[in-house]
Amino acid sequence: MASAAALKDVEDKFFECCICLDILKEPKLLPCLHRICKECLKGLINKHRRKGEFNCPLCKEPCIIPPEGVDGFRTDFHMKSILEYMKLQQTAKTEDLVKECAGCSKEAKMTSYCFKCKGFLCEQCSTDHLTKNMMKEHKTSVLSLKEIREQKLTLERLASLTETPRCNSHVEEPAKVCCGTCGNLPICMVCAQVGEHKGHELHDVRVLAREERLRVEKILQKLEQFKDNVNQLPAMVEKVKAQLSEDIRAKKEKWGAEHTHSAGRIRQQLTDNAELLRRNKAAIDELEEQEVAKLEEERKKKVEKAVKEINDEYAKLAVGKKSKNQKLRKGQEVLYGHRGTNINQRLVLIDIEYKNLEKSVDMQRGQNVGALGRISKEVTNRKIRFDNFKSTASSILASNDNWSEAQCLPDISNAGDSLIEEVEKEYPELRSMGQVDGYDLSGNAGCTVSITEEPVSVIDIEGVRSKGWKIFHMAPMDDGSIVVTGAVDKEHTHITVINKQGKIMSTHHTEHRGRDDTQYPICRCAPLDLFHLAVSYRDGEIGIYNTQNISYMKKHMSDIVSDWGNRDLRSIATDQINRNVYIGTKGADVLVLDDKLTYCHTLKLPHAVRRASSITIHNDNLIVCDEIGKKAYILTRKGPDAELVCELPKPDHNGWDWQPYRVCTDSNNFMYIIWTSKTSGQWIHISTQYSQDGHHVLITKEVEGVMSGMDTVLTDGSEQLILTTRHGKLYTYGLEMAS
């Protein structure tokens, strides 16, 4: 507020008591510079006397109650003089104001007001005040009613009209100096030299006023730098509150959709589990029919030779076959029963996870809303104090009155120093209060799977080492058998079915060559259903192998894909539910075939993937090991173009440069990768377990030998991790689930 500012420009609320909401009466000044009527302040002090302090009703600033009570608070004489003038304005509104003249005591029309006489003057007395020598001390204190009615009086002009303060002890004497020891109290020279203020710190009012004016002006300049911040913070808090509400709404909507999607996916897995059981039972029934029909044929051929002998033999064999298949059927029911139990547990877990997430969000919302409420109160009260300080300081400075400045500006400066500390305070936490923490629903909340420290068993697969065979791949079947594939020599491959004790149940040899005379031919496999698995060879041959009747149906990729050229087959995986075969090639493509080896479509991999060296199906995604790029990825497999879901972190083990070699998953969606590195001329292998989302390495374990295959099997309700080495070792580790 400039010194030339008119009194009419001061806001009305500047003159209101914040308790009674009326015009201030005997205004008392609080340390925060807000004003309260003397009587209202008495009531406030009486209410909080035991506590010894109270908060300003406007800005909540703590105010210590002095021992003197209400008299211990400074009377705001500057405000008091303004209020008196405002009353004068109200009286002067009457056009023909007739009152008793303060000069001649006659009843007449008033034309001016004398601040020294403290009364209205008639026209003659007004002239005498302005012209006669005996009234020269009154000359500067006369104000015409016309000027009062025009409401153009400035604070500076008002200060010049008012009488110099009187001595606090000798009211008949004008004050000459301020006593700094007594709060800049106006006193006369008698009090200063020989009276009760002798020896106190005395100030020339003009010097003191000039110093305090400079100090307050500097404070105002500094506060002006924070004007935008103080005015914008309340709006920013409201914006953050709105952001918080919107973030919670959006996240709850997102998590609700995720919960619905994940629960639906898990229910679909239950349906798929039942469908696989139905198919496997149907396959057993079909096998049984074929075997019984075959026996019937044999029986008919021998019936003429020895009817009774053949009938007895047939009955015995039929019972044996039915008993074997009933055992196999029962095993499938147990196997898929355990899988169904695990899936149901995951459905329960995702419901619990969703409820816990909702509780967490509600708790965070409560915390954030509470903190925002506290900050909102602080910044609102700060703005109240800020606006009040500017109005009060500007008002005093605009009066240009040394006595007002000497008495009021020290308190204003002290309040300004405190206010600067407040407005400099920032709220960096606001940036994070507009949202809540959360995570994607996985359906496996609280579920962990540990790997036994030592193998449960280590066995030698029958005949592999003694015959010099090699194993390059492995696939567990749902009937409890395990298929290992590899090379017999540099011109032949084998598909070998073994039991869990490593005994050979059947084997099938085919003629294939390595890429040159120094390399072995490589054969890979993946289970398709109970008795069938898909098999691929690097040279482009693809086939379906039946483990029960040892039949093999094959094709070459050039017969399936017209533009095949001379590409290699590098990896294989199967989607048992949709009966699709996924083939990884030397390039960055994965071909998708059906169970009749008919081409379905090509899955284009992202540019980051240089070669799909090992692949496996993971729910709706495809996990890809890239041995060239030395990275592993989770990719989508819906649509023609695979999109990157995430890159799995490489293990930080011994500081070596690892590349992914084999990959598999368990029934709880944990992922396992064999990583390999060559050091000192030897290949070293480690097995790593990843979280269900692939973002974290959970377990890293060194494994012996040159690994060739890895997968998981379910045995008697317990899941196990099995690994094979190139030279015929079969390692079995226990997988122990805890929630």
Side-chain angles (χ1 to χ4, degrees):
M1 184 184 297
S3 61
L7 272 170
K8 68 181 181 66
D9 295 330
V10 181
E11 293 185 21
D12 290 343
K13 67 178 182 179
F14 187 64
F15 307 109
E16 287 182 359
C17 171
C18 58
I19 293 182
C20 65
L21 303 180
D22 201 352
I23 297 297
L24 286 160
K25 296 176 283 292
E26 278 297 310
K28 288 291 185 177
L29 195 64
L30 301 184
C32 61
L33 305 185
H34 285 118
R35 301 160 190 82
I36 302 179
C37 298
K38 184 176 181 179
E39 289 303 315
C40 294
L41 182 57
K42 278 184 182 179
L44 196 61
I45 290 173
N46 291 334
K47 184 178 179 181
H48 296 88
R49 188 174 293 280
R50 284 189 178 182
K51 189 177 178 184
E53 67 174 22
F54 62 88
N55 292 334
C56 170
L58 274 178
C59 67
K60 312 306 179 187
E61 184 79 7
C63 300
I64 304 297
I65 300 174
E68 304 90 336
V70 71
D71 292 329
F73 289 93
R74 186 189 300 276
T75 299
D76 191 346
F77 291 103
H78 174 68
M79 175 61 74
K80 192 174 180 181
S81 65
I82 295 176
L83 293 172
E84 289 174 355
Y85 177 73
M86 289 174 66
K87 291 180 182 177
L88 178 62
Q89 278 185 318
Q90 290 297 115
T91 305
K93 284 183 178 179
T94 305
E95 278 296 327
D96 295 322
L97 179 64
V98 178
K99 292 177 71 71
E100 182 180 306
C101 177
C104 62
S105 301
K106 294 179 180 179
E107 193 84 13
K109 180 180 178 182
M110 302 294 104
T111 61
S112 65
Y113 183 86
C114 178
F115 284 86
K116 188 173 284 288
C117 297
K118 297 190 181 298
F120 289 94
L121 302 174
C122 65
E123 186 173 1
Q124 182 59 48
C125 290
S126 177
T127 302
D128 292 344
H129 270 61
L130 295 173
T131 58
K132 290 187 177 181
N133 197 41
M134 62 180 294
M135 304 297 290
K136 63 180 180 180
E137 291 185 1
H138 291 244
K139 183 176 181 179
T140 58
S141 300
V142 176
L143 185 66
S144 70
L145 294 190
K146 179 182 179 183
E147 191 173 355
I148 294 174
R149 292 187 185 111
E150 287 177 350
Q151 295 188 0
K152 293 182 179 179
L153 188 70
T154 65
L155 291 170
E156 184 176 0
R157 173 83 169 106
L158 176 62
S160 68
L161 293 166
T162 55
E163 187 180 10
T164 299
R166 297 286 174 171
C167 174
N168 189 59
S169 300
H170 306 94
V171 294
E172 73 283 355
E173 294 292 330
K176 298 296 184 180
V177 292
C178 291
C179 179
T181 306
C182 300
N184 291 338
L185 195 68
I187 60 175
C188 65
M189 295 307 296
V190 173
C191 290
Q193 293 173 355
V194 297
E196 60 182 290
H197 297 280
K198 181 181 179 181
H200 286 190
E201 182 183 352
L202 304 177
H203 299 288
D204 183 298
V205 67
R206 290 170 297 179
V207 174
L208 181 61
R210 182 169 61 253
E211 291 174 351
E212 291 298 336
R213 172 182 282 272
L214 290 174
R215 183 181 171 196
V216 171
E217 285 176 345
K218 286 181 180 178
I219 291 174
L220 283 171
Q221 287 175 2
K222 189 165 185 179
L223 285 174
E224 191 65 25
Q225 299 172 9
F226 298 96
K227 177 181 177 181
D228 292 342
N229 180 269
V230 170
N231 290 327
Q232 291 171 5
L233 261 177
M236 184 184 297
V237 171
E238 294 305 314
K239 181 179 179 181
V240 171
K241 285 181 180 178
Q243 288 175 344
L244 175 62
S245 298
E246 175 58 22
D247 183 69
I248 290 173
R249 184 203 63 74
K251 281 196 168 73
K252 280 198 171 185
E253 183 179 323
K254 172 178 175 287
W255 290 327
E258 287 179 356
H259 173 261
T260 301
H261 174 73
S262 298
R265 190 183 73 234
I266 293 173
R267 291 189 182 95
Q268 183 59 45
Q269 289 178 348
L270 282 172
T271 303
D272 295 344
N273 188 61
E275 175 60 18
L276 287 175
L277 175 61
R278 186 196 66 75
R279 291 180 186 176
N280 288 352
K281 282 185 175 182
I284 294 170
D285 293 341
E286 183 181 351
L287 175 65
E288 183 177 309
E289 289 178 5
Q290 292 173 355
E291 290 178 338
V292 172
K294 186 176 180 181
L295 288 174
E296 180 65 21
E297 266 184 43
E298 293 176 359
R299 189 187 68 81
K300 286 181 180 180
K301 289 179 182 177
K302 295 180 180 179
V303 72
E304 293 180 359
K305 184 177 179 182
V307 173
K308 188 176 184 308
E309 180 182 343
I310 292 174
N311 282 340
D312 291 343
E313 182 181 2
Y314 165 76
K316 184 178 179 180
L317 290 173
V319 169
K321 292 292 183 182
K322 288 183 178 181
S323 176
K324 183 198 76 171
N325 291 330
Q326 181 59 30
K327 184 178 180 181
L328 186 58
R329 192 179 290 110
K330 184 65 176 177
Q332 291 297 293
E333 290 177 349
V334 171
L335 174 66
Y336 282 90
H338 285 311
R339 289 183 180 175
T341 299
N342 288 341
I343 295 172
N344 272 318
Q345 288 175 347
R346 288 165 53 203
L347 185 58
V348 171
L349 286 173
I350 195 172
D351 289 337
I352 294 173
E353 184 180 9
Y354 180 65
K355 290 177 182 177
N356 290 338
L357 191 56
E358 279 193 320
K359 289 180 182 178
S360 173
V361 169
D362 291 340
M363 183 174 70
Q364 289 183 65
R365 176 175 58 186
Q367 292 171 346
N368 286 9
V369 168
L372 284 169
R374 175 184 58 79
I375 293 174
S376 179
K377 288 180 181 178
E378 286 184 14
V379 299
T380 300
N381 292 336
R382 178 197 298 182
K383 187 175 187 308
I384 292 172
R385 289 194 287 274
F386 182 89
D387 293 340
N388 177 64
F389 180 88
K390 288 192 65 179
S391 298
T392 301
S394 299
S395 171
I396 299 296
L397 292 175
S399 71
N400 203 20
D401 178 62
N402 291 337
W403 282 104
S404 295
E405 292 172 1
Q407 286 186 285
C408 299
L409 291 185
D411 289 339
I412 293 175
S413 297
N414 293 333
D417 292 336
S418 173
L419 182 59
I420 286 175
E421 291 182 9
E422 286 189 55
V423 299
E424 285 177 338
K425 180 181 178 183
E426 297 181 353
Y427 295 91
E429 63 268 32
L430 277 177
R431 289 191 292 270
S432 61
M433 284 185 180
Q435 59 185 16
V436 293
D437 297 329
Y439 49 86
D440 292 336
L441 293 173
S442 64
N444 297 280
C447 172
T448 60
V449 173
S450 60
I451 307 173
T452 55
E453 190 65 28
E454 300 295 332
V456 175
S457 66
V458 181
I459 61 175
D460 289 307
I461 299 174
E462 181 183 19
V464 173
R465 180 174 289 275
S466 62
K467 296 176 182 178
W469 291 5
K470 307 295 180 187
I471 296 177
F472 294 123
H473 222 260
M474 173 265 292
M477 305 297 288
D478 279 349
D479 64 356
S481 63
I482 299 171
V483 177
V484 292
T485 60
V488 174
D489 50 39
K490 293 180 180 178
E491 296 182 354
H492 299 84
T493 61
H494 69 88
I495 303 172
T496 302
V497 182
I498 63 172
N499 61 20
K500 292 176 182 176
Q501 290 73 43
K503 300 297 182 183
I504 294 178
M505 300 167 63
S506 65
T507 186
H508 174 79
H509 294 188
T510 57
E511 185 176 341
H512 285 277
R513 294 178 178 272
R515 285 185 295 179
D516 54 48
D517 294 339
T518 64
Q519 295 188 341
Y520 289 93
I522 295 178
C523 175
R524 299 178 177 87
C525 60
L528 192 57
D529 58 31
L530 185 62
F531 301 128
H532 297 87
L533 73 154
V535 182
S536 71
Y537 297 86
R538 178 176 282 182
D539 61 10
E541 183 178 308
I542 182 83
I544 303 296
Y545 182 74
N546 188 316
T547 61
Q548 291 299 306
N549 60 21
I550 323 299
S551 63
Y552 179 59
M553 183 268 289
K554 66 179 181 179
K555 289 184 179 181
H556 195 274
M557 290 301 299
S558 58
D559 298 325
I560 301 172
V561 181
S562 59
D563 59 347
W564 177 250
N566 195 29
R567 283 183 280 175
D568 289 348
L569 298 184
R570 293 289 178 153
S571 54
I572 188 169
T574 52
D575 177 353
Q576 295 187 48
I577 295 298
N578 297 304
R579 298 186 67 79
N580 288 134
V581 181
Y582 286 69
I583 304 295
T585 68
K586 186 176 181 179
D589 293 337
V590 170
L591 303 180
V592 183
L593 314 179
D594 63 16
D595 58 352
K596 300 294 188 295
L597 302 183
T598 302
Y599 174 79
C600 295
H601 65 275
T602 298
L603 186 64
K604 293 282 187 182
L605 304 187
H607 293 302
V609 183
R610 297 169 63 184
R611 179 178 295 174
S613 310
S614 179
I615 58 176
T616 194
I617 303 299
H618 182 57
N619 296 326
D620 296 332
N621 299 322
L622 185 71
I623 306 176
V624 177
C625 292
D626 180 0
E627 65 179 2
I628 300 299
K630 298 184 179 181
K631 295 179 180 180
Y633 304 93
I634 300 179
L635 309 175
T636 61
R637 61 185 179 97
K638 301 299 182 183
D641 295 320
E643 296 181 2
L644 179 65
V645 176
C646 76
E647 178 184 333
L648 281 72
K650 292 181 71 170
D652 182 14
H653 187 72
N654 292 338
W656 294 340
D657 187 19
W658 299 97
Q659 65 185 47
Y661 184 60
R662 292 286 183 268
V663 60
C664 71
T665 63
D666 64 20
S667 61
N668 289 293
N669 288 329
F670 288 91
M671 291 167 266
Y672 303 83
I673 294 181
I674 293 177
W675 294 81
T676 182
S677 180
K678 194 170 187 180
T679 177
S680 301
Q682 291 186 330
W683 287 102
I684 306 298
H685 294 77
I686 57 173
S687 172
T688 55
Q689 182 196 59
Y690 288 85
S691 56
Q692 296 101 322
D693 58 9
H695 291 157
H696 306 286
V697 175
L698 304 179
I699 300 174
T700 300
K701 180 187 294 293
E702 287 194 17
V703 289
E704 298 180 2
V706 179
M707 291 294 119
S708 60
M710 176 176 65
D711 216 320
T712 57
V713 295
L714 194 64
T715 304
D716 299 328
S718 299
E719 199 161 14
Q720 295 175 325
L721 180 69
I722 57 175
L723 300 94
T724 55
T725 69
R726 187 167 295 183
H727 301 294
K729 288 281 188 184
L730 178 64
Y731 292 86
T732 303
Y733 289 89
L735 297 179
E736 299 171 350
M737 186 178 76
S739 49

